[in-house]
Amino acid sequence: MKIYITLLTFLTVFSSSVLAQNSDYFLKGTIVEEANGNPVAFATVLAIDKTSNENLGGITTDMDGKFELKINSGNVIVEISFIGFETKRISTITFVNGTADLGTIKITEGEVLDEVNIRAEKSSTEFKLDKRVFNVGKDLSSTGMGALELLNNVPSVNVSIEGQVSLRGSSGVQILIDGKPSILADDPSNSLGSITAEMLERIEVITNPSAKYDAEGTSGIINIVLKKDEKEGLNGSITLNTGAPHNHSVGLSVNRRSEKFNLFAQLGVGYREQPNDSENSNQDLVNGTTVNSIGTEYRNENYYNIILGTDYHIDDNNVITLSGNYAYEIEDQPSNTDFSYYDSSNTLISAWNRSETTKATNPKWQYELQYKKDFKDHKDHDLLFSALGRFFGKDQESEFEVTPTFGDREFDNQQTETDFQQSDFTLKLDYTKPFSDKVTMETGAQYVINDVGNDFTVRNFIDDEWVTDPNLTNNFEYDQKVLGVYGTGSYQGEAWGVKVGLRMEDTNLNTLLTNTGEANEQNYTDFFPSGHVSYKFNDEISLQGGYSTRIFRPRLWDLNPFFNIRNDYNIRVGNPNLRPEYTDSFEVTSIFIIPKASFNAGVYYRYTTDVVERVTYFEDNVSVTRPENIGTNGTTGVEVNFKYSALEWFSLMGDFNFSYFDREGEFENQNFDFTGERFTSRMTGKFKLPADFEFEMTGNFQSSYKTVQGEVSQNAFADLGIRKKVAKGKLVINASVRDVFNSRVRESVVSQPEYYIYTKGQRGTFVSLGLSYGFGKGEAMTYSSGRRR
């Protein structure tokens, strides 16, 4: 708490010194109709600098037609506009003690124009089958708001002060720009700072993806659609961050738009430390022996990152995008763990210290080529082709030194060496054809190649020389190819909407342990149907239902049988014979939009077969955890989330999820049938304080729940953040404290008749302080220096 108070004091002093250089001016008044004197709600009031024509700020009137706007210059023209009324400009304004009271301002109804391409005054949300569409109105587009801030106005979406985007409480969100993946959206908090609200046409939110999207999917999709007529200008942001434990970075983001080209670039460099305290206890209940371990592991790294790219607008209907990203990391992973061994009478027999020195370099690159064609007959008639390539490498060397501290037990020092290379390639083609404003067809194909090699060597120090251990040394090769083809059809009427689709994916997976010749081949073809239906009662209430079939394919580390020997009494290994798990997902959600609030409540049922579970084997006080396919799982749940803007200076967001699960399965003659419950919740309060301070507080709770062999304990933690805007948001100072009370502890037990295993992990409290400056049309952004993987 002392750290938080110190940061708050620093921010206050700093911001006060900055504000002392800029005088504040206030504009206020009331807008009414000239014909009848009725107040005009939601009229737009803009302040424009007389000399530079720069937009100094904007606001909309309240329900009584009143407004009050703070600006930093008195040399202004005020422009008042509202749909259906003539725009009114006031050029003679007198300030008294920094305030200009414009009194009652009358506006006159204008003639109806033939031009219909007019942005709506008020932002609104509408429902279209499997997605919700947030149309950006003039009330937000004219205020200089940035893309991340605007996302905060979208129902079910939350953006933290640190820039993390979550949907319905989950951060596993895929962000698209104009319907296609973009390097700019890979890490939204680092990249979307160059996009302002005036460039946005709408934001689409998809919580239950249809057959158009990968069957492995995410927790949801957010698609940001840009206006075609906003291509001009220079946008950018510079950021500087520091934190404890050490987390320091500098970032630059630049975006230059012209009529034909959109050029964007990013540079980032930094250093971070990520400590993790761990504690383990392995108890042999048959022999009565126990091995305890306690220590701290670090992952420290210097990192460098550059992004370059361009959009070339061939004409109004054709655009080509070419972009690339290169990153380089230098890792240092020291760890220090103390072990102790007790006999059946709880007498200490031996103790030792195991220390690790690890050095690694990680080169990473990515390239992307995209072509999008918009057909002239309909705004949603388009063709999109994309080619994406990624590479990740790791050259790592580790040395483990064991020092006895009690007893006469002898140990061998060890070395490991890892040469890891992963290449991923994706080719994708999507075609959308509306036959009318109500009927649309989508079709497309995707081909994904994953090629991985992991050469892992272990050496033991025996008789004064390093000797390769053949039982722990091997080269694991992983090759997976997935071909997907899909088609969907939809009907969207005034009230009812229906969308059905089918996706086919053919998977070819091969793994090989080259030293032993052990090979595994899996070839399978799956069909993934999806169906969505929606009914719109009115503009405020809508009901949506959805069904989809999903797949979870075993990942590389689920299949690789080799492991890190950092703690050689608690080992995790992969299973080359692991099969994919399949889930049938049903969901019904009701959406309510009322003044100042949005509310979503839903029920769901998910049935999963060939469930992948981590099973622990135990021998000689050594635990080995390995993924296995065990039976089925049926989960029934209720999910509620809401966003409530109670006052102009306070808003509240909450996400709640309760589920009941029924497990059935048998593995190696052991029955795994059991039932259980799980509850998670998150509540976020946001406060707008005087002097342009914003404060955010988030509380999280995760209940305990059963596993196939034990239980995971409950967990509660809180995060705080504060932000100060200066110079109309061009300069932003932000501070945050993650896990304020150091209570985010991960505890689990494996309890079996023959053994008991306790595991605890804790990362501790993180404090960060950042400065960001936006130039041109860019907003100040948050360069979170998050770990890219």
Side-chain angles (χ1 to χ4, degrees):
M1 198 64 184
K2 289 181 179 179
I3 295 175
Y4 169 71
I5 294 172
T6 301
L7 285 172
L8 181 58
T9 303
F10 169 79
L11 290 174
T12 304
V13 173
F14 181 89
S15 60
S16 298
S17 65
V18 175
L19 284 174
Q21 304 173 25
N22 299 280
S23 299
D24 288 333
Y25 294 83
F26 295 88
L27 293 165
K28 65 180 183 179
T30 304
I31 312 299
V32 301
E33 297 183 37
E34 185 176 48
N36 50 31
N38 291 333
V40 180
F42 308 118
T44 300
V45 181
L46 295 178
I48 303 170
D49 190 280
K50 283 186 178 181
T51 304
S52 64
N53 262 349
E54 181 185 0
N55 182 5
L56 299 178
I59 199 171
T60 58
T61 56
D62 62 17
M63 297 302 295
D64 297 323
K66 298 181 182 296
F67 69 89
E68 183 170 345
L69 174 64
K70 183 174 73 172
I71 55 179
N72 62 5
S73 173
N75 185 32
V76 297
I77 296 172
V78 172
E79 184 177 280
I80 300 161
S81 59
F82 188 68
I83 190 168
F85 288 78
E86 294 180 358
T87 299
K88 186 162 189 172
R89 291 170 66 91
I90 303 173
S91 57
T92 303
I93 299 174
T94 302
F95 288 88
V96 179
N97 296 326
T99 300
D101 188 347
L102 303 181
T104 300
I105 304 168
K106 299 178 180 180
I107 57 176
T108 307
E109 287 190 78
E111 297 180 1
V112 178
L113 303 177
D114 292 333
E115 175 63 56
V116 296
N117 186 24
I118 300 176
R119 179 185 288 271
E121 295 292 325
K122 184 69 174 172
S123 298
S124 62
T125 301
E126 59 180 322
F127 307 98
K128 293 186 176 181
L129 285 173
D130 60 337
K131 63 186 175 185
R132 278 166 274 165
V133 180
F134 183 81
N135 297 297
V136 181
K138 205 170 183 180
D139 57 327
L140 295 180
S141 67
S142 61
T143 59
M145 188 180 293
L148 286 174
E149 289 182 277
L150 194 143
L151 280 172
N152 248 334
N153 287 270
V154 178
S156 302
V157 178
N158 183 42
V159 182
S160 71
I161 279 180
E162 293 181 305
Q164 184 183 40
V165 181
S166 60
L167 176 60
R168 297 200 302 185
S170 174
S171 58
V173 183
Q174 181 184 15
I175 295 183
L176 308 177
I177 295 180
D178 286 336
K180 59 184 188 292
S182 171
I183 286 179
L184 282 178
D186 272 0
D187 190 345
S189 64
N190 292 356
S191 308
L192 296 182
S194 60
I195 300 177
T196 59
E198 64 180 6
M199 302 176 187
L200 300 184
E201 184 69 33
R202 64 185 185 274
I203 297 173
E204 300 174 344
V205 177
I206 304 171
T207 57
N208 191 2
S210 69
K212 177 179 180 178
Y213 302 98
D214 285 345
E216 286 198 274
T218 64
S219 67
I221 296 169
I222 297 175
N223 181 33
I224 298 174
V225 181
L226 302 179
K227 291 172 60 180
K228 289 186 178 181
D229 59 348
E230 291 290 345
K231 302 187 179 76
E232 304 286 344
L234 174 68
N235 318 308
S237 188
I238 302 172
T239 64
L240 176 66
N241 289 274
T242 187
H246 290 294
N247 190 356
H248 318 292
S249 65
V250 178
L252 169 66
S253 177
V254 180
N255 183 285
R256 177 70 171 90
R257 292 174 179 268
S258 64
E259 184 177 354
K260 288 289 186 181
F261 285 94
N262 171 32
L263 304 174
F264 51 89
Q266 262 194 33
L267 297 173
V269 59
Y271 171 77
R272 54 180 157 238
E273 292 183 356
Q274 300 182 57
N276 181 42
D277 295 328
S278 62
E279 183 179 340
N280 297 275
S281 180
N282 293 359
Q283 301 177 24
D284 188 327
L285 302 181
V286 177
N287 299 321
T289 56
T290 301
V291 174
N292 294 330
S293 64
I294 184 169
T296 301
E297 306 164 357
Y298 284 87
R299 175 168 290 183
N300 309 330
E301 66 182 13
N302 294 284
Y303 57 93
Y304 311 88
N305 184 65
I306 181 172
I307 293 175
L308 294 173
T310 182
D311 297 320
Y312 173 54
H313 295 264
I314 302 172
D315 52 39
D316 289 342
N317 300 101
N318 296 273
V319 59
I320 293 177
T321 299
L322 178 63
S323 58
N325 176 19
Y326 179 77
Y328 191 76
E329 298 169 349
I330 303 173
E331 288 189 1
D332 175 25
Q333 299 182 28
S335 71
N336 201 295
T337 305
D338 291 314
F339 292 82
S340 54
Y341 177 75
Y342 297 85
D343 65 11
S344 58
S345 62
N346 203 30
T347 300
L348 179 64
I349 302 300
S350 59
W352 63 98
N353 174 269
R354 183 179 174 88
S355 63
E356 173 189 356
T357 303
T358 293
K359 304 291 183 182
T361 56
N362 308 325
K364 297 184 284 188
W365 53 261
Q366 173 179 321
Y367 67 84
E368 192 173 22
L369 173 64
Q370 296 180 347
Y371 168 70
K372 185 177 182 182
K373 178 177 180 60
D374 294 320
F375 296 91
K376 295 181 179 180
D377 60 326
H378 196 284
K379 65 177 182 177
D380 294 325
H381 186 190
D382 55 55
L383 175 73
L384 174 64
F385 168 78
S386 64
L388 176 67
R390 289 191 176 99
F391 172 83
F392 172 69
K394 179 182 284 289
D395 184 2
Q396 178 173 299
E397 294 182 353
S398 302
E399 186 164 331
F400 299 87
E401 182 177 352
V402 182
T403 304
T405 57
F406 183 82
D408 55 2
R409 188 172 181 179
E410 295 184 358
F411 302 88
D412 291 329
N413 294 333
Q414 293 179 299
Q415 286 181 344
T416 64
E417 186 175 332
T418 301
D419 182 11
F420 176 87
Q421 294 185 344
Q422 176 175 348
S423 298
D424 303 314
F425 303 95
T426 303
L427 297 174
K428 190 174 183 182
L429 183 68
D430 296 296
Y431 176 68
T432 302
K433 169 63 177 176
F435 292 97
S436 67
D437 288 339
K438 294 183 178 181
V439 179
T440 301
M441 176 200 73
E442 298 172 311
T443 187
Q446 177 176 281
Y447 188 54
V448 181
I449 301 173
N450 308 114
D451 187 8
V452 182
N454 184 58
D455 194 349
F456 183 66
T457 303
V458 177
R459 303 183 187 94
N460 299 314
F461 194 65
I462 303 174
D463 296 331
D464 295 328
E465 65 176 337
W466 291 106
V467 179
T468 299
D469 189 335
N471 296 320
L472 301 178
T473 298
N474 213 318
N475 180 39
F476 181 71
E477 294 184 356
Y478 167 97
D479 179 73
Q480 179 175 270
K481 299 179 178 67
V482 180
L483 173 64
V485 179
Y486 75 89
T488 71
S490 63
Y491 169 82
Q492 178 68 69
E494 292 296 325
W496 281 98
V498 178
K499 184 173 186 176
V500 294
L502 180 66
R503 186 180 186 92
M504 183 278 292
E505 291 189 351
D506 180 77
T507 303
N508 187 331
L509 171 66
N510 294 277
T511 65
L512 173 65
L513 294 169
T514 58
N515 291 12
T516 64
E518 182 181 347
N520 176 42
E521 181 178 356
Q522 296 184 31
N523 297 313
Y524 48 91
T525 300
D526 298 304
F527 292 90
F528 302 95
S530 68
H532 295 82
V533 61
S534 67
Y535 183 75
K536 181 179 178 180
F537 294 92
N538 50 48
D539 290 340
E540 291 76 33
I541 302 175
S542 180
L543 190 68
Q544 295 177 333
Y547 163 76
S548 64
T549 302
R550 318 299 292 173
I551 185 175
F552 170 78
R553 294 185 182 88
R555 297 159 296 184
L556 168 69
W557 300 113
D558 296 322
L559 300 170
N560 189 351
F562 290 91
F563 55 89
N564 188 317
I565 58 175
R566 170 174 290 163
N567 186 328
D568 51 0
Y569 276 80
N570 294 275
I571 299 169
R572 289 180 178 268
V573 300
N575 178 3
N577 300 310
L578 201 63
R579 301 183 305 276
E581 65 178 31
Y582 297 88
T583 299
D584 289 305
S585 177
F586 303 84
E587 179 179 307
V588 177
T589 304
S590 56
I591 303 104
F592 304 88
I593 304 293
I594 59 178
K596 297 185 178 183
S598 63
F599 179 81
N600 298 268
V603 295
Y604 61 86
Y605 177 74
R606 299 176 186 133
Y607 184 76
T608 304
T609 59
D610 281 335
V611 180
V612 176
E613 289 284 3
R614 266 61 184 171
V615 177
T616 298
Y617 304 87
F618 192 87
E619 185 177 357
D620 295 331
N621 288 105
V622 176
S623 68
V624 177
T625 302
R626 167 183 162 118
E628 305 285 0
N629 294 105
I630 302 179
T632 64
N633 182 32
T635 301
T636 304
V638 178
E639 183 178 45
V640 175
N641 60 80
F642 69 89
K643 180 179 291 188
Y644 178 45
S645 301
L647 302 167
E648 290 186 4
W649 54 269
F650 173 68
S651 62
L652 186 66
M653 283 146 285
D655 300 286
F656 305 91
N657 192 313
F658 173 82
S659 61
Y660 170 85
F661 56 88
D662 185 0
R663 290 299 318 274
E664 294 183 358
E666 185 174 311
F667 182 74
E668 294 186 349
N669 299 320
Q670 182 177 357
N671 186 283
F672 284 102
D673 292 355
F674 68 97
T675 60
E677 300 172 349
R678 188 173 183 179
F679 174 72
T680 62
S681 65
R682 185 178 70 168
M683 188 81 73
T684 300
K686 298 189 177 187
F687 304 82
K688 292 184 178 180
L689 306 178
D692 281 340
F693 275 101
E694 296 178 11
F695 176 71
E696 177 180 287
M697 179 170 54
T698 301
N700 295 267
F701 175 78
Q702 301 169 355
S703 71
S704 60
Y705 60 93
K706 293 180 181 179
T707 64
V708 291
Q709 291 179 298
E711 184 175 355
V712 175
S713 65
Q714 69 180 29
N715 194 356
F717 58 96
D719 302 324
L720 297 178
I722 189 166
R723 176 168 57 187
K724 165 65 179 173
K725 292 184 177 181
V726 182
K728 297 181 300 180
K730 287 295 183 181
L731 176 64
V732 171
I733 312 160
N734 66 282
S736 63
V737 184
R738 294 173 56 193
D739 194 7
V740 180
F741 305 107
N742 196 20
S743 59
R744 192 171 188 174
V745 180
R746 302 176 303 279
E747 290 182 298
S748 64
V749 298
V750 175
S751 181
Q752 295 295 294
E754 298 84 13
Y755 57 91
Y756 177 88
I757 302 170
Y758 169 79
T759 302
K760 175 183 177 182
Q762 187 172 17
R763 291 195 177 275
T765 300
F766 285 75
V767 180
S768 64
L769 175 66
L771 300 175
S772 179
Y773 176 73
F775 55 87
K777 293 184 179 180
E779 67 161 327
M781 67 178 182
T782 300
Y783 189 86
S784 65
S785 65
R787 188 173 182 83
R788 287 178 177 267
R789 280 290 179 263

